[in-house]
Amino acid sequence: FFDQGGGAMAPTPTRVLYAFWLLGLLNNTAYVIMIAGAKDILPSAVGLVYVCNVLPGFAIKLTGPYWFHYVRYKHRVYCASLLMGLSFLIVALGQITKNAALSLFGILFCSAQGSLGEASFVALSAFYDSRKALTAWSSGTGFAGVFGYLWVSFFTLFLGLNFETSLLLALSLAAGFVAVYIFVLPEPEVQRECTVPPPEEALRLEPAMTDADDDHAADGGPAWDGPGDPTGGPGALSRTQEMSKVTSSMTVQQRVAVTATLWPYMIPLTVVYFAEYAMQTGTWAAIGFPVTDAQSRKLFYTLANWMYQWGVFVSRSSGMLVEPTRLRLWVMPTLQTCLLVLFCLTARYQLWYDWTLLAPCFVVGLLGGAVYVGALSLIAIEVPEQHREFALSAACLADTVGIIFSDIVGVGIQRWLYGVYDIHD
């Protein structure tokens, strides 16, 4: 990415978008494959599959912003790719040996991989045109919901192979994930006009950036691993190096303080994810025409999730089409909560009870995807550039918190509705 004279060459924007889209797709597909095969993995306790697929990821998103700066991006990508491959191998082995505990152990690796990849690449977008990169990433993750179900359906239903075979074939996805990072994603553009201020000004503007940080950088930090020597000579730093230097020099107290300022973006993310996953795990599992027929409930649940996934894909791809605002960001979770109440009442009293219910399932996906890409885009726009990398990584915790609470509440909603209709399967 440098010409022979040492000048910087801007990466092709389209190539950046392709890379982030593919990375989002591949990063989230493993999670979806495990969810799509939950009935095969543990037929009698699907909820346990969901729990195993979220808890390790929660731990990584909770702690990652406080140690990510010690691990270079490329090493995180290699680790995520390895975790993805291990998850496919271990779950497949568990299926072959009929060992449910081994399969659940493999799913833990999948959860860790998804969260490590998401938190890393969302943060990495800060070094590019953030809003475009985030929209491409979000669109790819949105299509992962469709692609993951298609992957399992193609090999198990169309080709007649078993689920474990589809997992072994999915090892190619793990290889593709790291290949896209190495061969497709360009390095960020180097901006040579960004110079280092005098020592006294640097100390005044950024107290955390001290001579000790220079020693840290020489020992392997900060976490950005740029190409060659992008400084352009004494007294000049690239924008990527300056941003990464600030992130790596933040103290724990500073990180907590910045995270606390992100509540306008994180609360809507938590609420919208709580509402949509409570619908999926609770109300949609207890709707069918008729509800007393297990196959009817399974059919509605499958189609409702298909509509939801398409809604997510459409809205997550709209990040550059709709200007995000805080008002819209807070209105959409409110609407999503209203849809949760609507589906609870519909499932209980069957006031609106036919296949047209699939339409609001699509809207649920639209709202969830729009809040995801909208919240991240607003962070990229409103958070000061020197804290943007950290803020994007820290905000990723919000959706996982919503999912954890929704799993608990969703089980209660499903049991309540099953009790109403005396369903015991």
Side-chain angles (χ1 to χ4, degrees):
F1 301 99
F2 294 87
D3 59 24
Q4 294 180 349
M9 298 176 64
T12 304
T14 302
R15 187 176 168 190
V16 172
L17 300 183
Y18 285 152
F20 269 92
W21 192 90
L22 288 171
L23 289 165
L25 169 68
L26 295 170
N27 185 78
N28 282 28
T29 293
Y31 171 87
V32 179
I33 287 176
M34 297 304 176
I35 294 301
K39 282 283 188 181
D40 297 281
I41 296 172
L42 204 62
S44 60
V46 172
L48 192 55
V49 175
Y50 277 78
V51 171
C52 289
N53 217 2
V54 71
L55 286 182
F58 171 75
I60 287 180
K61 287 185 177 180
L62 179 65
T63 64
Y66 301 91
W67 56 263
F68 276 171
H69 56 289
Y70 294 115
V71 184
R72 294 183 180 276
Y73 277 99
K74 64 181 179 182
H75 295 151
R76 284 185 249 165
V77 175
Y78 298 157
C79 182
S81 180
L82 178 62
L83 289 170
M84 187 189 303
L86 286 173
S87 71
F88 290 140
L89 279 174
I90 295 173
V91 175
L93 182 60
Q95 294 300 105
I96 293 171
T97 60
K98 308 299 181 184
N99 188 331
L102 185 60
S103 294
L104 291 175
F105 180 66
I107 294 175
L108 298 178
F109 286 88
C110 176
S111 174
Q113 168 267 312
S115 293
L116 178 61
E118 180 185 17
S120 296
F121 280 108
V122 166
L124 184 60
S125 70
F127 298 104
Y128 299 86
D129 184 327
S130 297
R131 192 174 170 193
K132 290 182 180 179
L134 287 170
T135 298
W137 166 269
S138 300
S139 177
T141 60
F143 190 67
V146 177
F147 180 74
Y149 275 93
L150 285 175
W151 182 277
V152 175
S153 300
F154 176 75
F155 289 112
T156 59
L157 299 180
F158 184 74
L159 296 184
L161 302 176
N162 53 34
F163 178 63
E164 47 266 36
T165 301
S166 71
L167 291 175
L168 294 175
L169 292 171
L171 288 171
S172 60
L173 303 178
F177 182 67
V178 71
V180 171
Y181 176 76
I182 295 174
F183 299 112
V184 182
L185 182 65
E187 300 286 2
E189 179 180 359
V190 176
Q191 297 184 358
R192 300 193 181 280
E193 67 274 12
C194 190
T195 58
V196 180
E200 62 277 8
E201 183 179 347
L203 184 63
R204 177 174 57 84
L205 294 176
E206 186 56 61
M209 295 176 62
T210 64
D211 292 338
D213 294 316
D214 292 333
D215 295 335
H216 170 63
D219 292 337
W224 170 253
D225 39 282
D229 177 21
T231 61
L237 279 178
S238 71
R239 167 175 167 266
T240 58
Q241 283 189 320
E242 284 196 336
M243 289 175 61
S244 190
K245 185 178 179 67
V246 172
T247 300
S248 65
S249 64
M250 292 173 65
T251 65
V252 173
Q253 291 80 2
Q254 288 173 322
R255 293 171 189 273
V256 172
V258 172
T259 302
T261 65
L262 301 178
W263 66 266
Y265 320 102
M266 296 179 70
I267 290 179
L269 268 171
T270 300
V271 173
V272 81
Y273 268 81
F274 166 79
E276 66 189 63
Y277 275 83
M279 280 182 266
Q280 291 182 56
T281 59
T283 60
W284 294 358
I287 294 176
F289 315 115
V291 68
T292 52
D293 179 60
Q295 288 302 316
S296 297
R297 293 196 305 275
K298 182 178 180 180
L299 179 60
F300 178 83
Y301 182 81
T302 301
L303 294 178
N305 274 281
W306 269 104
M307 295 297 290
Y308 164 80
Q309 297 294 353
W310 279 110
V312 170
F313 172 57
V314 170
S315 60
R316 287 196 178 191
S317 303
S318 66
M320 296 303 298
L321 301 178
V322 180
E323 191 68 26
T325 65
R326 290 198 182 189
L327 177 61
R328 291 173 183 164
L329 190 65
W330 281 77
V331 167
M332 288 186 288
T334 304
L335 295 176
Q336 194 81 299
T337 305
C338 291
L339 284 173
L340 172 60
V341 174
L342 171 66
F343 272 105
C344 285
L345 294 175
T346 296
R348 171 61 181 87
Y349 297 106
Q350 300 186 357
L351 302 175
W352 172 12
Y353 214 67
D354 55 41
W355 288 109
T356 58
L357 277 173
L358 294 177
C361 294
F362 180 77
V363 175
V364 170
L366 286 177
L367 292 173
V371 171
Y372 179 86
V373 69
L376 295 180
S377 295
L378 274 177
I379 291 174
I381 294 171
E382 297 180 351
V383 172
E385 188 177 52
Q386 67 268 25
H387 292 144
R388 191 175 300 157
E389 179 192 10
F390 171 81
L392 287 166
S393 177
C396 288
L397 174 67
D399 57 359
T400 306
V401 172
I403 293 173
I404 290 176
F405 281 111
S406 71
D407 285 342
I408 298 172
V409 174
V411 170
I413 292 174
Q414 183 182 13
R415 287 184 177 179
W416 165 58
L417 292 171
Y418 272 33
V420 169
Y421 295 108
D422 197 27
I423 299 171
H424 301 288
D425 56 37

